Amino acid sequence: MALEYNPEVVLATTIFKEYRNSIDIYTEDCEKDKEFYLQILQKLLSDTNVVINDIYPIGNRRTVLKHCTNDTDTCRKKLHIVDGDIYLQYENITIPHLYVLDAYCIENYMICEDAICNLAYRLYGRKSLGEIKTCLQISQMLENIAEPLINLFYYYSVQMECYGQFELRSIHNYLDDNTNLVDVTKINQRISEIKLGLIDFGIPEELIEEKIRQRKQKFPINVDTLLCIVSGKNFLLPYVKCHITKRLQFNWKLSSEALKINMVDNCDLVRLIPLKEAILAACI
């Protein structure tokens, strides 16, 4: 049986460690993701006087939102951070002391040329960084996968909004068995299945199409949208790993936690400036 989250235990922990932190940061996920999240925040705030040595992962999105809503303690500065997730496309939540990432998940912010190419450079060790960049062609790779994956996540979000659940799967379900490239046929087949399921559930086709139009207007098909609404954890990072393996023709193994940690130093955190500003504001 899974251990249930206990708000009293969390509060006691933050009090015990308050001398180590300028602010209490609560996040999604679990302990194994803690170091990764902490490294990102410390890099993001490195030019400020905000000190963060601990963060508190307290479970899934629902748990963090519940804790944020029910937390009435006024003695400590705090911020609760949740992923944008699939809700990013159609939902807007405003709760005091809550920050919703403007991307599917925190892993999305790792996807940039410098982080990916420096990772490959350190792992491969047989080419210069410039040669690695030429070989990997990250910008072209992202452009190639943008349209099919964005379309898939449009339909995922419509399914979630209308049906209350969806099956995320992973990028590996949508790769060609021989080339390991994104298979548009598999994606279009999944989109057709989702659409037919919604119609069978009683959602008019016209309403589905209208919701897709709304999403295309809000999130046009481009690389910026890819890095925003497509899951970095389940789709983009695993695809990056496949891409490096294919282009450099070598096999390598890293846990997902090690993969992310090795990308933090070179990732461009400009997209996380709004989070930095929210933390600084919460510290006042």
Side-chain angles (χ1 to χ4, degrees):
M1 180 180 297
L3 292 176
E4 293 187 1
Y5 145 75
N6 188 324
E8 293 181 357
V9 172
V10 173
L11 179 58
T13 303
T14 61
I15 293 173
F16 181 71
K17 294 182 178 181
E18 64 181 347
Y19 73 97
R20 293 166 47 89
N21 304 286
S22 303
I23 183 173
D24 297 334
I25 301 289
Y26 301 94
T27 67
E28 292 188 58
D29 299 320
C30 52
E31 282 293 320
K32 67 179 182 178
D33 301 299
K34 181 177 178 178
E35 185 63 22
F36 165 62
Y37 223 124
L38 183 59
Q39 290 294 323
I40 291 177
L41 294 180
Q42 288 178 338
K43 178 180 179 180
L44 185 65
L45 298 162
S46 61
D47 61 346
T48 74
N49 60 0
V50 175
V51 177
I52 299 178
N53 288 304
D54 305 281
I55 63 171
Y56 305 98
I58 55 176
N60 60 27
R61 191 175 195 267
R62 184 179 303 171
T63 301
V64 179
L65 292 176
K66 180 180 178 181
H67 182 270
C68 185
T69 302
N70 295 337
D71 186 357
T72 58
D73 174 64
T74 58
C75 297
R76 290 287 296 159
K77 297 179 175 68
K78 70 196 73 173
L79 192 66
H80 298 71
I81 305 173
V82 295
D83 296 340
D85 217 304
I86 201 66
Y87 310 98
L88 185 66
Q89 296 187 50
Y90 64 89
E91 184 178 81
N92 184 26
I93 299 177
T94 302
I95 303 173
H97 310 299
L98 175 70
Y99 184 86
V100 181
L101 294 174
D102 58 358
Y104 195 98
C105 57
I106 192 67
E107 286 82 358
N108 284 63
Y109 301 98
M110 297 298 100
I111 309 298
C112 69
E113 182 182 39
D114 283 346
I116 295 169
C117 290
N118 273 280
L119 171 71
Y121 170 70
R122 290 196 297 268
L123 291 172
Y124 189 62
R126 298 174 224 166
K127 292 181 181 289
S128 69
L129 181 58
E131 289 173 322
I132 292 290
K133 289 185 176 182
T134 299
C135 182
L136 293 185
Q137 294 291 307
I138 297 303
S139 295
Q140 187 62 54
M141 179 269 288
L142 294 175
E143 289 177 8
N144 290 344
I145 66 175
E147 183 170 3
L149 292 185
I150 289 169
N151 279 326
L152 176 63
F153 273 74
Y154 286 156
Y155 277 89
Y156 274 163
S157 75
V158 172
Q159 187 179 29
M160 185 65 186
E161 182 182 7
C162 295
Y163 190 59
Q165 63 184 30
F166 77 108
E167 185 183 0
L168 180 59
R169 301 187 178 181
S170 79
I171 188 66
H172 299 292
N173 293 98
Y174 302 107
L175 298 183
D176 183 273
D177 295 332
N178 297 315
T179 66
N180 255 3
L181 297 174
V182 169
D183 190 327
V184 177
T185 300
K186 289 183 179 179
I187 289 179
N188 288 339
Q189 180 180 349
R190 182 59 184 150
I191 287 174
S192 295
E193 292 170 356
I194 292 171
K195 188 173 181 179
L196 287 174
L198 288 169
I199 292 172
D200 289 343
F201 187 66
I203 308 299
E205 184 174 3
E206 296 80 8
L207 179 58
I208 296 170
E209 295 300 328
E210 175 58 26
K211 288 184 178 297
I212 295 297
R213 282 193 292 270
Q214 292 171 358
R215 283 153 172 77
K216 287 183 176 180
Q217 184 174 8
K218 185 176 181 181
F219 298 100
I221 294 176
N222 55 43
V223 171
D224 287 342
T225 293
L226 174 76
L227 301 182
C228 178
I229 71 169
V230 175
S231 171
K233 179 184 292 185
N234 295 89
F235 278 72
L236 301 182
L237 279 180
Y239 190 74
V240 162
K241 189 172 182 179
C242 290
H243 182 72
I244 293 174
T245 298
K246 180 179 177 63
R247 296 304 293 266
L248 295 179
Q249 297 185 345
F250 85 114
N251 292 317
W252 52 287
K253 290 184 179 181
L254 279 180
S255 68
S256 60
E257 292 78 27
L259 175 66
K260 294 183 290 187
I261 283 287
N262 276 278
M263 296 179 76
V264 170
D265 284 346
N266 294 291
C267 68
D268 182 0
L269 295 184
V270 66
R271 289 186 292 146
L272 278 174
I273 289 177
L275 173 59
K276 177 181 181 179
E277 293 172 345
I279 293 173
L280 293 174
C283 286
I284 297 175

